[in-house]
Amino acid sequence: MKLLLAEDDTMLGTGMEKALTQAGFTVDWVRTGQHTLGALEATGYDVVLLDIGLPDIDGLQVLQRMRQLRQHTPVLMVTARDAVSDRVAGLNQGADDYHTKPFHLDELVARIHALARRQAGQAHPSLQLGRLELRPIERAALLAGQLLPLSPREFDLLHALMQKPGAVLSIEQLENKLYGWGQEVSSNAIEVHLHHLRRKLGEPWVRNVRGVGYKLVEVQ
């Protein structure tokens, strides 16, 4: 799952980026409102973590601009402003959730997963496709009840495909899901991870649509 973190405090931003990456997310970190809007225009994200107190355009204005542009990415306001009026303002501008600092990482992670599920129209915390089950919070995948020994990249690939079963995702779209800014990606990295994933699944769950990309299909 790919996150955009908008936080101008260097110490806090560094800590959040590291903790969220260790929790299994791909994180792009920006420090201003303008950079937040630019990142959203250039890249797709599953959830935006948005501070109100950004130095150029405050988070509420960024949020208002997002919604005016019909950008429907879920937004979790993460801010030290804990007054009821601040929470009401954020929610009224289009925020999907509001979390005050300081926070516990486990709760923040749970809120992020909840927003992503809501965006996808999923009430259950796990994803299911026939005999294949994915548990994002636990970062576990099971086939017919048996745990699959997936690497972090293989898990992330399966997660991206399970979010849109049957839809064809290009190599570029999959790279965007798995890698953040500044990460070097070899030309065949996605194909290598897909090869290992398909081998571990043991059946043609992941199909190659030649010249287009890959899709996940149910195998009886």
Side-chain angles (χ1 to χ4, degrees):
M1 189 184 303
K2 191 163 189 174
L3 310 179
L4 179 62
L5 171 62
E7 171 59 61
D8 68 312
D9 185 288
T10 300
M11 184 176 295
L12 181 58
T14 300
M16 289 180 68
E17 181 185 37
K18 180 178 180 180
L20 290 168
T21 300
Q22 290 176 342
F25 299 105
T26 299
V27 183
D28 286 343
W29 174 24
V30 292
R31 296 163 176 79
T32 70
Q34 290 285 7
H35 288 158
T36 303
L37 293 171
L40 287 166
E41 184 176 348
T43 307
Y45 296 95
D46 295 292
V47 176
V48 178
L49 306 181
L50 182 60
D51 184 23
I52 290 181
L54 297 175
D56 54 347
I57 307 173
D58 73 38
L60 291 177
Q61 291 175 306
V62 171
L63 179 59
Q64 183 181 43
R65 182 63 174 158
M66 284 179 61
R67 298 319 187 210
Q68 287 173 344
L69 294 173
R70 301 190 183 280
Q71 292 177 340
H72 302 299
T73 307
V75 173
L76 172 56
M77 306 296 292
V78 183
T79 176
R81 302 183 190 180
D82 59 357
V84 172
S85 59
D86 291 318
R87 295 197 295 271
V88 170
L91 294 170
N92 283 342
Q93 289 289 358
D96 299 271
D97 198 1
Y98 196 105
H99 198 31
T100 56
K101 306 170 186 175
F103 51 79
H104 195 286
L105 179 63
D106 288 345
E107 183 179 358
L108 181 65
V109 168
R111 287 174 181 267
I112 292 169
H113 280 294
L115 287 180
R117 288 199 306 271
R118 188 186 309 164
Q119 178 74 359
Q122 299 158 350
H124 199 273
S126 65
L127 302 176
Q128 190 89 32
L129 183 64
R131 296 178 293 122
L132 186 60
E133 180 185 2
L134 195 82
R135 300 174 182 174
I137 297 176
E138 301 170 37
R139 292 187 64 78
L142 299 93
L143 181 60
Q146 298 298 311
L147 187 66
L148 291 170
L150 302 182
S151 71
R153 292 297 188 204
E154 292 159 8
F155 179 89
D156 291 339
L157 270 175
L158 183 57
H159 190 188
L161 292 165
M162 284 198 75
Q163 286 179 308
K164 296 182 177 181
V168 180
L169 299 180
S170 68
I171 294 297
E172 183 179 359
Q173 288 174 309
L174 292 170
E175 286 180 348
N176 181 55
K177 285 283 189 181
L178 267 66
Y179 297 96
W181 297 337
Q183 291 183 287
E184 293 188 8
V185 185
S186 62
S187 59
N188 66 336
I190 293 295
E191 286 92 340
V192 170
H193 293 309
L194 281 167
H195 170 75
H196 293 309
L197 174 61
R198 297 167 85 179
R199 180 170 52 82
K200 290 177 181 179
L201 285 172
E203 298 178 64
W205 288 85
V206 181
R207 295 187 182 173
N208 181 9
V209 180
R210 190 172 298 277
V212 182
Y214 294 84
K215 66 178 180 178
L216 188 69
V217 296
E218 182 179 352
V219 176
Q220 300 294 335

